[in-house]
Amino acid sequence: QLRDQFEAAVQAICGDVRRDWFPRNTETTTSTDRSRNAATGTYDATVEAQYATLGSGSSVSFDGTSDLLTYPDAADVSFGDGTNDYPFSIVSWVNPTIEATNRVILCKDDYTTGVTFREWTAQIDSNNYAPFYVHDNSAAARLGRQFQTALVTGWQMLTFTYDGSRAVTGLRIYRNAARVDDANDSAGTYVAMENLGEAVKLGHNTVAAGSAGDFFDGSKARVLLVAKQLSVEEQWALKALGNAFWDLAL
């Protein structure tokens, strides 16, 4: 009952939730998205042994080498049509392992050499910074913001928001509900994201060689994809709910 109350309270703040990875420890090879869309995410293998108790809930560990989950493509997880962009946010409770590799939190991205399908990416990079990108795939362009202070291990709520303005000023990054982005990382002449056929990937990406890579190393408790730009006030409320449910002190 407590889990159900937490699930509902978070979704009430977020509004139009497109994907909500909040796995139950009875799920092993697939995980049903907790939003009204009920999309089925598929793990690379069973995660039965990867659950750990966290306060009143649990987390899932990712090994940084092969653990991943993939949701199939759908129109509701794209936020651009080639001309216009639309607001969205990614909210994540993560405990990353600190290392010199790219580690994806959530993305809709494929940067296979010569055959890219790029839309949006939230990750921790090889500097342990937390960058956020939206991509104009046909123009090989992107808007990007970074938090250029190396993250440290420990539970944290990382939130990435975009207002749909098609300007780099519309991208924001927050850690524990405090804004932290401090540098641009854009490239090319950006017009808008496009609605492509790529899957939504939790904990991995499709890298230049065309294979899975950029695996997340560490633990995750919940990751949401939301069709609006979350405010600071909404994020503070989410943080308070997460602290109470998982017994954190963010």
Side-chain angles (χ1 to χ4, degrees):
Q1 184 178 4
L2 186 61
R3 177 195 160 96
D4 292 342
Q5 291 171 350
F6 173 59
E7 182 179 299
V10 167
Q11 292 193 9
I13 293 168
C14 291
D16 186 359
V17 177
R18 301 296 174 86
R19 296 293 179 271
D20 183 357
W21 179 77
F22 186 31
R24 297 178 180 271
N25 57 17
T26 54
E27 296 177 325
T28 55
T29 58
T30 62
S31 182
T32 301
D33 150 43
R34 305 308 299 173
S35 79
R36 62 184 174 82
N37 301 296
T40 298
T42 302
Y43 293 105
D44 63 295
T46 181
V47 295
E48 185 175 5
Q50 295 165 225
Y51 288 100
T53 298
L54 184 64
S56 299
S58 59
S59 64
V60 177
S61 64
F62 291 76
D63 64 6
T65 57
S66 61
D67 292 340
L68 58 83
L69 178 133
T70 304
Y71 292 111
D73 176 48
D76 67 344
V77 290
S78 290
F79 300 96
D81 59 14
T83 302
N84 301 295
D85 281 347
Y86 305 97
F88 74 101
S89 300
I90 297 165
V91 188
S92 63
W93 283 267
V94 298
N95 183 354
T97 298
I98 302 306
E99 58 193 13
T101 60
N102 291 332
R103 286 142 289 160
V104 166
I105 295 172
L106 191 71
C107 75
K108 195 171 191 288
D109 192 7
D110 175 343
Y111 60 95
T112 301
T113 300
V115 195
T116 60
F117 295 92
R118 314 202 72 175
E119 295 190 41
W120 46 263
T121 309
Q123 66 179 21
I124 300 167
D125 70 14
S126 59
N127 295 309
N128 293 298
Y129 299 160
F132 179 37
Y133 301 106
V134 293
H135 301 275
D136 182 343
N137 188 73
S138 62
R142 70 171 186 249
L143 302 177
R145 286 287 286 169
Q146 290 190 344
F147 171 36
Q148 290 192 338
T149 297
L151 297 174
V152 296
T153 193
W155 283 102
Q156 49 209 291
M157 188 179 85
L158 295 177
T159 306
F160 308 83
T161 74
Y162 177 47
D163 65 3
S165 62
R166 298 185 295 125
V168 71
T169 52
L171 294 168
R172 297 183 177 187
I173 303 166
Y174 300 80
R175 182 178 181 272
N176 301 335
R179 188 176 177 185
V180 293
D181 56 288
D182 54 12
N184 292 337
D185 188 20
S186 302
T189 302
Y190 181 93
V191 177
M193 289 180 286
E194 296 151 332
N195 185 345
L196 305 173
E198 192 55 32
V200 173
K201 301 163 186 171
L202 186 142
H204 69 113
N205 203 339
T206 303
V207 299
S211 56
D214 293 350
F215 294 104
F216 188 84
D217 194 357
S219 297
K220 298 183 182 184
R222 190 172 185 177
V223 180
L224 297 102
L225 177 64
V226 179
K228 73 174 181 181
Q229 181 188 25
L230 288 166
S231 69
V232 173
E233 292 77 14
E234 289 168 327
Q235 293 178 56
W236 272 96
L238 292 172
K239 183 179 73 168
L241 288 169
N243 283 349
F245 182 72
W246 287 303
D247 194 21
L248 302 174
L250 305 183

